[in-house]
Amino acid sequence: RWMDTDPEVLPDAIAYFRCYFAGVGAGVMYNTFTGIMNALGDSKRPLYFLIVSSLTNVVLDLLFVAVLRWGVWSAALATIISQALSAVLCAMHLAKKGTIYQLKLSALRIDGPLLREILRYGLPAGIQNSVIGLANVVVQTNINSFGKMATAAYGAYSKIEGFAFLPVTSFTMAITTYVGQNLGAGMKPRARKGAIFGIAAAAVIAEIIGVITYLAAPWLVSLFSRTPEVIRLGVLETRTICLFYCLLAFSHAIASVCRGAGKAFVPMTIMLGVWCVFRILYITAIMHWRHEIVYVYWAYPITWAISSVIYLFYFLFSNWQDGFDPQPSCRSTSITITCSTTTIITITVETKRAACVPVGTHAAFCSPRYTQDVDVRASYRFLRRRTMRPAPDSTAEAAYSVSPASKVLGEL
């Protein structure tokens, strides 16, 4: 009612929402499992499971709605069942024995430090999507004011955009994983090079999809409705928006780079300010000036363009690639690295600028900015890696490239 939904469709809308949100846990688990698999570098199986889920959804939609005549709510039931199926398939794969990531129900428990890290990186994205969803509710409310034909056209376009943008969404998810892995390994130039390629590729792919969508708009909208007025409004919205998909992809790609670099609050701030606050203000003002639906459609390209400009400046002039650098915390510290039971190196750092920071069973060495403040003494050899891990045996050379301690100061 708050969204000014047409009274004729309100009962079906309520039934659909209640059924869908009753099974929202299936979608949450699928997205969680998919995130784990993508982080492991496995992007193929989530795609296979998604294809199975999508086909199942289509078949169940036809069965429940067209054959059994269960009504609109059964479409939500079909979605829940298909998402649950994909979640089960993911869980079965993650539970496979003999893997380093084997999922064991008996080992599941809440880990405080890990939970804080997850919330640190995940909560901003969650808040961002929730508030942007609220902004889209405002958009939907204004569209509903033009009648149920406009509402149906908006729903048809939303489905078209959702399917059309799936390849770009998958691409941006891969960018997050790529940037995070490379920055975690201390490979900043490679991370930046990959990020630039990913941003450009996402924008190009999105624009190609946008052009195809523009040309096929009448046919695509007619798949969801045969009503001439719905088709007219759906084509108008599609052709107003789809040629600007490159801007949407550009914003999403740089947002993914920021998340991969541990800068989750940056995309949250930009998107809340532009895609939420500015979009609502624009629509509120424009509807008082010109109550025409095309101006509502233009809210999306305009806000995409503004966010893209802000993201571009941030990407070019910020230190986003330094998100995982350890922060100096002391003047002097020492750490001993061991392989199995044999001590292979002891490093002592006395500096105002650097420190050895233990991270679990690993240690990251923060290189000082000023070599004149540094006194490094190594009892064996200095490892030429930022991340130091236990080697498979007692010999450092078996797993790492090493250099004499006399070269340390020159390399720093």
Side-chain angles (χ1 to χ4, degrees):
R1 293 188 179 93
W2 177 54
M3 295 173 61
D4 294 330
T5 304
D6 193 294
E8 294 182 18
V9 301
L10 187 59
D12 286 336
I14 293 174
Y16 182 93
F17 269 77
R18 284 177 175 171
C19 183
Y20 182 83
F21 282 103
V24 72
V28 171
M29 293 310 301
Y30 168 72
N31 290 327
T32 301
F33 292 146
T34 299
I36 294 172
M37 295 167 72
N38 285 331
L40 292 168
D42 184 359
S43 59
K44 293 183 179 179
R45 286 186 179 84
L47 174 62
Y48 299 152
F49 298 154
L50 180 62
I51 292 173
V52 172
S53 173
S54 300
L55 294 176
T56 303
N57 196 358
V58 171
V59 172
L60 292 180
D61 276 338
L62 294 174
L63 175 63
F64 293 163
V65 179
V67 179
L68 299 178
R69 305 286 182 180
W70 283 358
V72 174
W73 67 270
S74 63
L77 179 62
T79 301
I80 293 170
I81 294 174
S82 61
Q83 288 180 340
L85 174 62
S86 59
V88 170
L89 292 174
C90 289
M92 290 173 61
H93 174 71
L94 291 175
K96 187 184 299 183
K97 293 183 178 180
T99 58
I100 60 173
Y101 52 81
Q102 181 182 355
L103 178 64
K104 298 179 181 178
L105 295 178
S106 59
L108 294 179
R109 59 181 56 86
I110 296 177
D111 186 297
L114 287 179
L115 179 60
R116 285 192 292 272
E117 286 295 308
I118 292 173
L119 292 177
R120 176 187 172 190
Y121 295 114
L123 191 59
I127 295 173
Q128 165 196 313
N129 291 332
S130 297
V131 179
I132 291 175
L134 178 62
N136 289 333
V137 168
V138 175
V139 175
Q140 179 77 67
T141 302
N142 282 273
I143 288 177
N144 290 347
S145 66
F146 291 92
K148 61 182 180 181
M149 295 298 177
T151 303
Y154 182 76
Y157 168 74
S158 297
K159 291 183 176 64
I160 293 171
E161 182 186 282
F163 282 109
F165 215 71
L166 271 177
V168 179
T169 301
S170 301
F171 205 88
T172 55
M173 291 173 61
I175 292 175
T176 300
T177 303
Y178 178 89
V179 171
Q181 289 178 341
N182 280 275
L183 290 181
M187 304 173 68
K188 293 182 183 180
R190 191 168 187 265
R192 188 176 185 87
K193 182 179 179 181
I196 293 173
F197 172 81
I199 294 167
V204 171
I205 292 171
E207 192 60 20
I208 293 173
I209 292 173
V211 171
I212 295 173
T213 304
Y214 183 93
L215 297 175
W219 177 76
L220 292 172
V221 177
S222 66
L223 293 176
F224 299 94
S225 177
R226 298 291 183 180
T227 306
E229 183 64 11
V230 173
I231 294 176
R232 184 186 73 82
L233 291 172
V235 171
L236 175 63
E237 180 176 8
T238 302
R239 288 183 168 173
T240 300
I241 297 175
C242 66
L243 291 181
F244 298 94
Y245 280 171
C246 58
L247 298 177
L248 177 60
F250 187 86
S251 292
H252 274 302
I254 298 187
S256 298
V257 170
C258 294
R259 295 188 189 101
K263 306 282 188 177
F265 279 92
V266 173
M268 182 190 76
T269 304
I270 295 174
M271 290 184 176
L272 289 186
V274 179
W275 290 15
C276 182
V277 176
F278 182 82
R279 186 176 291 174
I280 292 174
L281 292 175
Y282 164 80
I283 292 176
T284 303
I286 205 71
M287 285 296 99
H288 281 84
W289 178 54
R290 297 287 295 272
H291 196 264
E292 296 180 20
I293 196 169
V294 68
Y295 292 108
V296 179
Y297 298 156
W298 272 103
Y300 291 100
I302 290 173
T303 51
W304 295 345
I306 295 172
S307 65
S308 294
V309 172
I310 298 173
Y311 273 125
L312 178 61
F313 275 93
Y314 180 81
F315 182 81
L316 294 177
F317 302 111
S318 74
N319 62 339
W320 61 266
Q321 65 269 27
D322 299 330
F324 293 135
D325 281 359
Q327 299 298 318
S329 59
C330 61
R331 177 181 175 84
S332 176
T333 186
S334 63
I335 188 168
T336 300
I337 310 298
T338 60
C339 291
S340 299
T341 59
T342 305
T343 299
I344 62 166
I345 179 173
T346 300
I347 300 175
T348 301
V349 179
E350 297 178 1
T351 174
K352 299 177 181 179
R353 304 282 182 176
C356 287
V357 184
V359 183
T361 58
H362 299 61
F365 183 72
C366 174
S367 296
R369 295 177 182 272
Y370 302 99
T371 56
Q372 63 266 28
D373 292 336
V374 182
D375 176 23
V376 178
R377 297 183 297 276
S379 61
Y380 187 64
R381 285 173 179 250
F382 179 73
L383 303 184
R384 295 175 58 189
R385 289 176 62 98
R386 285 189 173 225
T387 302
M388 304 183 187
R389 300 171 296 178
D393 55 36
S394 60
T395 305
E397 290 89 345
Y400 302 105
S401 173
V402 298
S403 62
S406 59
K407 294 183 180 180
V408 170
L409 290 180
E411 292 177 352
L412 289 177

